Amino acid sequence: MPPAPADFDPPLLDTPDGPIRLRTSDAPRVSVIIPTYGQDDFTLRCLASIAAYPPIAAIEVIVMDDAYPKRQDPSFLQARVAGARIVRNAGNLGFLRTCNAAAELARGEYLFFLNNDTQLRPGAIDALADLLLARPDIGMTGSKLVYPNGLLQEAGGIIWQDATGWNFGRNQDPGRPEYNYRRPVDYISGAAIMIRRDLFETLGGFDTDFSPAYYEDTDLAFRVRAGGFGVVYEPRSVVVHYEGMSHGTDLASGVKAHQLVNAKLMRTRWAEVLDRSHFAGAADLVRAYDQARDRKIILVIDHYVPEPDRDAGSRTIMGVLRSLVGSGWVVKFWPQNRAYSPVYTPVLQDMGIEVLDHRRPDDLGAWLAQRGDALDCVLVSRPSVAMELLPPLLAHRRARLCFYGHDLHFERMHREAMLTGDAGQMRAAEEMKQIERRMWRAFDTSIYLSQEEVDTARKLEPERDFRAVVPYGFADFTHRDRVTPGSTILFVAGFAHPPNEDAALFLVNDVMPLVLAQRPDARLLLVGSQPSPAVRALASAVVTVTGWVSDAQLDEYYGASRATVVPLRFGAGVKGKVVEALRQGVPLTVTPIGAEGIDGLPDILPISRTARDIADDLLRMLNDDAAWLARSHAQTRFAQARFSDEAVRRSVIAALEP
């Protein structure tokens, strides 16, 4: 008996009473291949699920009957299903050969092999097809398999050195973080796998040495990898599988008996690969499920999941995460607030990062006790986060500990106190200085975004290890060949941050009157997330306060602006808004605080110290087309030479290495 059904949303389908109408195409991207041998109820429910949740991708559906002796006439399914190609083998070929025969009939770019004892959940086909379309380096992908009772059947498979297999996550909660990020796997169950048709044909299909079934999917995955392609588990694709209905569960009889025989064949054929790249057994499960025998594993901790379109700190952390993934590291991310973000968490999971939020209920100490021995490095972001989580990190210390400071917080706070004359703020700055020094002494390495900050910290703690990284990187840079018309001035910032709020007030109250005196047509855009009440109150006929905008909208604002400005009066570290303006090629006016940490910037543009200086430089950019073009080109060249994705990656990996 199959397990009792769970409360799926939408619910699992019963055997349909009426006809099933599939939305198929004569020019399919995906060929859905369903081998059958009896079990009409399961087949009909499988087909009904495809009809109920039709993919966006164009599909064809091939139902291949392996000469089931109790029904020799295909009209039974043909009368109940419209849109499928119902084909019957002339004689019984067995599961594996039936799949190969169906593949020869397929016309799609991708082949989706689907057991008949399955039901698709919404989006299952598109998730796999979209991945293959986006990632030409991936040859085969497959679904998360769940039981009808809602428990997990498999989140990708592990093969040990003796060629025995492990269904990762079996009978666990499929919602847990470790089962919900995209990752390379040893194999994916053939119950729901998608492979490029040309690759399948090049490899000769499933190897008939494994006939009639078992290990053919595992051997195929190994051959895909040997051919230079990835085999990747895609958790967005969810398929309910009534395991055992296709071949039974008795290892001593029937088709299932071939499982043990074919395991020996697998071990013999792939002995060198298994011995070199695989683990002996479950004692190494933590590294095995990430294929981490020769890869480093890092735990990255920050206050919440990065929101790179909302704040500069998130942008720098995303740069770190991309650098790690791009360098082949296995990345785990621990948000201090333990919150799952429906917008930002899936972005990390699609990058291949396990996000350890509230879906995994244990605290950091418990997680480290279970998994910490597998870590090579821990990177903790921000002093407040490091202070709170330092005790469990030290209690379970096995890995190298790195502190990512973002900026010298005490320096920023001290500058604000000097500007405002606030004695309480000055005391808070001194307290933060002691906290940061304590972090430097506790961690193996402390990382900052400029050499200038590293030098300052090293003077305070000369015995500690400090390293600088390139904080921002881009894949493309804007080369502007024509002057942008108009008189729009753009200031981009997250306005909940006190330095940015102060800069906006200073810009509107002190600088803009000087600009408007000579260019009454000038207009100011304050663009960025979380504008404070004081910033919102600046809105007028001259000043527009937008609030949060998407990256696409931000690009439009840059493209429509004549000048950019970063009028910071206090702060610390390299400013993302400055680097972004350089990369966009929109002439930048900047203060000494805004320019801080960017070596060579004064060589390409003036540093404006006073309101008068800022206004004069903005007016020059509004009035002088030749100066505008010269600065635009200089900025783009400067950014391209210093702030590429590759520059970030190299600096991050160098900072984390012992």
Side-chain angles (χ1 to χ4, degrees):
M1 290 289 291
D7 292 329
F8 284 92
D9 183 21
L12 295 180
L13 303 175
D14 294 326
T15 303
D17 295 327
I20 299 169
R21 291 182 171 83
L22 298 168
R23 192 173 70 194
T24 55
S25 170
D26 292 332
R29 167 163 286 170
V30 178
S31 296
V32 182
I33 294 173
I34 305 173
T36 70
Y37 188 74
Q39 302 175 328
D40 294 329
D41 284 351
F42 282 99
T43 301
L44 289 171
R45 288 196 292 267
C46 176
L47 292 167
S49 73
I50 300 173
Y53 315 122
I56 296 172
I59 64 168
E60 66 173 347
V61 178
I62 302 171
V63 179
M64 200 77 169
D65 174 10
D66 191 19
Y68 182 57
K70 294 184 180 180
R71 179 176 291 111
Q72 300 182 11
D73 185 352
S75 62
F76 174 81
L77 286 179
Q78 290 172 344
R80 289 162 175 77
V81 182
R85 298 165 65 188
I86 312 295
V87 182
R88 179 179 170 85
N89 290 336
N92 182 260
L93 300 179
F95 177 81
L96 185 158
R97 294 176 188 271
T98 294
C99 289
N100 283 347
E104 292 179 1
L105 303 176
R107 297 168 293 179
E109 182 180 354
Y110 310 136
L111 306 178
F112 183 33
F113 292 99
L114 184 66
N115 278 16
N116 72 321
D117 58 338
T118 60
Q119 287 196 36
L120 302 187
R121 308 307 294 152
I125 293 177
D126 283 323
L128 301 178
D130 290 349
L131 179 58
L132 292 182
L133 180 64
R135 292 280 303 276
D137 59 311
I138 295 174
M140 185 165 74
T141 183
S143 307
K144 178 198 292 184
L145 300 180
V146 297
Y147 288 113
N149 66 357
L151 295 179
L152 183 63
Q153 182 182 127
E154 178 188 295
I158 300 169
I159 296 295
W160 306 117
Q161 286 180 346
D162 64 359
T164 57
W166 183 292
N167 302 113
F168 181 56
R170 191 180 188 91
N171 289 320
Q172 300 299 308
D173 176 2
R176 287 173 68 99
E178 56 263 48
Y179 311 128
N180 283 285
Y181 66 101
R182 192 179 288 160
R183 69 183 203 284
V185 291
D186 295 345
Y187 79 98
I188 309 161
S189 170
I193 55 174
M194 188 177 290
I195 186 171
R196 301 179 188 278
R197 179 163 64 94
D198 57 356
L199 176 60
F200 188 78
E201 292 171 349
T202 298
L203 296 175
F206 291 114
D207 192 327
T208 56
D209 286 351
F210 292 91
S211 291
Y214 287 104
Y215 277 88
E216 77 285 346
D217 47 6
T218 309
D219 172 76
L220 180 63
F222 275 56
R223 287 188 287 135
V224 167
R225 264 192 304 277
F229 292 90
V231 177
V232 174
Y233 162 70
E234 174 51 88
R236 287 179 181 265
S237 176
V238 180
V239 173
V240 177
H241 183 212
Y242 294 82
E243 185 184 40
M245 299 308 299
S246 301
H247 303 310
T249 57
D250 186 357
L251 290 172
S253 64
V255 175
K256 189 74 173 177
H258 290 271
Q259 185 170 343
L260 297 178
V261 174
N262 286 349
K264 295 178 181 178
L265 173 59
M266 185 74 191
R267 169 60 201 173
T268 301
R269 173 173 293 182
W270 294 100
E272 182 181 351
V273 173
L274 291 168
D275 290 340
R276 181 183 69 247
S277 302
H278 291 248
F279 292 92
D284 293 305
L285 178 63
V286 176
R287 283 192 167 270
Y289 76 77
D290 276 312
Q291 290 192 328
R293 178 154 179 164
D294 299 313
R295 302 167 67 198
K296 291 188 176 182
I297 302 179
I298 185 170
L299 174 66
V300 179
I301 304 174
D302 201 359
H303 56 181
Y304 49 70
V305 171
E307 301 176 353
D309 56 348
R310 291 184 176 273
D311 66 89
S314 289
R315 283 183 181 266
T316 65
I317 287 296
M318 280 298 290
V320 169
L321 296 175
R322 289 193 180 100
S323 296
L324 291 166
V325 171
S327 298
W329 289 45
V330 176
V331 183
K332 314 293 179 184
F333 186 88
W334 186 282
Q336 182 191 26
N337 67 354
R338 305 306 307 282
Y340 174 91
S341 165
V343 175
Y344 299 102
T345 298
V347 173
L348 297 194
Q349 293 177 154
D350 288 350
M351 290 170 60
I353 297 172
E354 181 181 355
V355 181
L356 297 159
D357 51 38
H358 69 87
R359 294 170 296 166
R360 186 180 178 98
D362 44 2
D363 61 20
L364 180 61
W367 187 87
L368 288 169
Q370 295 179 31
R371 306 289 177 94
D373 286 353
L375 295 175
D376 296 289
C377 185
V378 178
L379 178 67
V380 186
S381 170
R382 306 175 205 273
S384 60
V385 178
M387 273 289 291
E388 178 181 321
L389 299 180
L390 189 59
L393 289 171
L394 294 178
H396 300 282
R397 181 167 184 165
R398 297 288 188 279
R400 175 175 169 77
L401 296 184
C402 296
F403 171 60
Y404 192 85
H406 285 272
D407 63 16
L408 292 173
H409 285 48
F410 80 86
E411 188 85 351
R412 166 165 45 85
M413 295 167 67
H414 180 267
R415 288 169 176 171
E416 181 179 5
M418 291 293 290
L419 183 68
T420 62
D422 187 330
Q425 181 71 10
M426 188 66 76
R427 288 192 297 272
E430 185 58 34
E431 291 172 2
M432 177 56 69
K433 184 177 184 179
Q434 299 310 313
I435 290 172
E436 289 182 293
R437 293 185 69 174
R438 180 184 171 191
M439 295 305 101
W440 301 339
R441 292 191 292 266
F443 283 79
D444 297 310
T445 293
S446 295
I447 299 169
Y448 285 94
L449 310 188
S450 71
Q451 189 60 44
E452 186 175 336
E453 290 170 296
V454 164
D455 293 342
T456 298
R458 189 171 285 138
K459 289 177 182 177
L460 293 170
E461 294 287 346
E463 301 301 317
R464 305 310 300 162
D465 183 33
F466 298 95
R467 304 185 187 186
V469 296
V470 177
Y472 303 99
F474 303 94
D476 55 81
F477 299 82
T478 303
H479 298 268
R480 301 188 185 274
D481 296 323
R482 292 184 296 177
V483 174
T484 301
S487 55
T488 299
I489 299 167
L490 175 65
F491 177 32
V492 178
F495 291 105
H497 195 39
N500 297 332
E501 180 189 58
D502 173 81
L505 295 169
F506 170 61
L507 178 60
V508 172
N509 296 328
D510 293 56
V511 177
M512 285 304 294
L514 301 175
V515 174
L516 291 166
Q518 296 187 42
R519 286 294 300 264
D521 61 329
R523 296 295 180 265
L524 175 64
L525 290 173
L526 300 178
V527 177
S529 64
Q530 298 179 296
S532 65
V535 172
R536 289 189 181 279
L538 297 174
S540 67
V542 172
V543 180
T544 299
V545 180
T546 68
W548 177 85
V549 299
S550 68
D551 284 346
Q553 291 171 312
L554 183 59
D555 282 342
E556 291 177 3
Y557 280 123
Y558 273 112
S561 295
R562 175 78 180 199
T564 59
V565 60
V566 180
L568 291 170
R569 298 195 295 172
F570 64 91
V574 177
K575 316 305 185 297
K577 60 187 75 67
V578 173
V579 177
E580 188 172 65
L582 295 172
R583 172 245 182 177
Q584 287 280 354
V586 181
L588 170 68
T589 298
V590 66
T591 60
I593 296 296
E596 185 177 40
I598 305 179
D599 292 339
L601 189 59
D603 297 335
I604 66 165
L605 53 82
I607 307 302
S608 302
R609 298 182 178 277
T610 66
R612 181 75 263 174
D613 293 340
I614 296 170
D616 287 346
D617 194 56
L618 286 171
L619 286 165
R620 186 182 182 204
M621 292 301 103
L622 294 180
N623 296 327
D624 188 334
D625 287 355
W628 191 99
L629 279 173
R631 187 174 298 182
S632 172
H633 295 165
Q635 287 182 194
T636 302
R637 289 193 300 269
F638 183 90
Q640 197 161 10
R642 291 165 173 79
F643 297 105
S644 67
D645 286 339
E646 179 59 19
V648 174
R649 189 195 67 80
R650 287 196 306 266
S651 71
V652 167
I653 299 306
L656 295 175
E657 295 284 3

